[in-house]
């Protein structure tokens, strides 16, 4: 059974989501209205996933992002699923680049199928990834290798798939019975083949994963 903590300033939305998720195998251990309450609830319940609205009190700007980053730092094994009315480009990257458990970024207006949404919650809770295709497209609007992941070798695609599932280099090495240095070399090759230059305002590993998801 997947356990979750839900953070949104709307009491009605929280109540509705709680009922719907619990019908799909997700136990909502707590539902709260701001970032401070979220952190307390995560510390108390240690859920599999925290479902967080980006805009919460007091300023309704990026409090949810700050809370998500705090969850990542304090409880790196807890999956983080962000919900947003609009795509927040920099904020999306800030959370997506954090190491730890599963990660998700979904646009509220595009959640039209509760069964699919619940599946995304389960995926993030299991250290997987659930990112809205529009988010992927927006973050990838920059030069890339023309053939996408088609330029990668089978081993490199295998490693990239594990990166998309949230695995670290050490975790990938253990999965594939490789030396960690070998995995590091493959990752460098993946980033180079995908045309991901080392730029100060980007996180190449995240963009590589997004390229994989868009394929």
């Amino acid at each position: 059974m997947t356990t979750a903590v839900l953070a949104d300033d709307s009491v009605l939305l929280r109540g509705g989501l709680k009922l719907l998720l619990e019908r799909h195998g997700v136990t909502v251990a707590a539902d709260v209205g701001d970032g401070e309450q979220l952190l307390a609830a995560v510390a108390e319940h240690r859920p599999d996933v925290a479902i967080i609205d980006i805009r919460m009190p007091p300023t309704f700007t990026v409090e949810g992002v700050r809370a998500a980053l705090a969850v990542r730092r304090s409880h790196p094994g807890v999956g983080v699923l962000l919900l947003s009315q609009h795509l927040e480009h920099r904020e999306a990257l800030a959370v997506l680049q954090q190491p730890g458990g599963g990660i998700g970024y979904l646009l509220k207006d595009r959640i039209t199928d509760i069964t699919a949404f619940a599946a995304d919650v389960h995926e993030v809770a299991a250290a997987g990834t659930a990112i809205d295709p529009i988010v992927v497209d927006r973050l990838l609007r920059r030069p890339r290798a023309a053939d996408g992941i088609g330029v990668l070798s089978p081993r490199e695609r295998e490693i990239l798939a594990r990166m998309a599932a949230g695995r670290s280099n050490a975790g990938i090495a253990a999965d594939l019975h490789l030396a960690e240095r070998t995995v590091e070399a493959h990752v460098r090759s993946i980033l180079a083949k995908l045309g991901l230059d080392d730029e100060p305002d980007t996180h190449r590993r995240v963009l590589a994963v997004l390229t994989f998801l868009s394929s």
Side-chain angles (χ1 to χ4, degrees):
M1 178 72 71
T2 294
T3 60
V5 166
L6 176 62
D8 193 291
D9 65 286
S10 170
V11 175
L12 288 177
L13 180 59
R14 294 202 313 264
L17 278 178
K18 180 177 180 179
L19 288 173
L20 291 169
L21 287 172
E22 290 189 338
R23 292 176 185 171
H24 289 79
V26 179
T27 298
V28 178
D31 61 280
V32 300
D34 61 41
E36 186 176 341
Q37 292 176 328
L38 168 67
L39 295 177
V42 170
E44 177 182 356
H45 298 286
R46 300 297 178 95
D48 299 307
V49 59
I51 305 169
I52 309 169
D53 183 20
I54 281 185
R55 299 190 177 188
M56 291 192 293
T59 68
F60 295 94
T61 53
V62 292
E63 279 81 6
V65 172
R66 292 176 185 144
L69 292 172
V71 168
R72 270 291 200 244
R73 288 192 294 269
S74 302
H75 308 281
V78 174
V80 170
L81 175 55
L82 288 172
L83 302 180
S84 180
Q85 198 69 36
H86 308 285
L87 174 60
E88 312 284 352
H89 180 277
R90 287 189 179 275
E91 287 74 15
L93 277 177
V95 177
L96 293 173
Q97 70 184 15
Q98 294 299 307
I103 190 71
Y105 193 112
L106 301 176
L107 300 179
K108 286 183 177 180
D109 288 348
R110 289 169 50 81
I111 299 174
T112 58
D113 183 339
I114 189 60
T115 301
F117 174 63
D120 286 335
V121 173
H122 286 295
E123 180 69 19
V124 173
T129 305
I131 303 177
D132 190 295
I134 286 181
V135 176
V136 174
D137 179 67
R138 194 73 56 85
L139 293 177
L140 287 176
R141 285 186 182 175
R142 50 195 296 115
R144 289 289 177 270
D147 296 330
I149 66 169
V151 300
L152 304 180
S153 70
R155 174 63 89 184
E156 289 167 344
R157 288 197 294 271
E158 190 176 23
I159 288 172
L160 183 53
R162 282 167 168 77
M163 289 166 59
R167 302 291 280 163
S168 66
N169 286 353
I172 295 170
D175 289 345
L176 300 179
H177 306 290
L178 298 172
E180 190 169 348
R181 287 185 179 180
T182 301
V183 173
E184 291 170 356
H186 280 304
V187 171
R188 288 195 297 271
S189 176
I190 289 167
L191 299 177
K193 287 183 178 180
L194 294 179
L196 295 169
D197 297 326
D198 191 5
E199 299 174 13
D201 63 341
T202 63
H203 191 290
R204 295 189 299 162
R205 192 179 181 99
V206 170
L207 293 176
V209 167
L210 292 173
T211 301
F212 172 80
L213 295 173
S214 69
S215 300

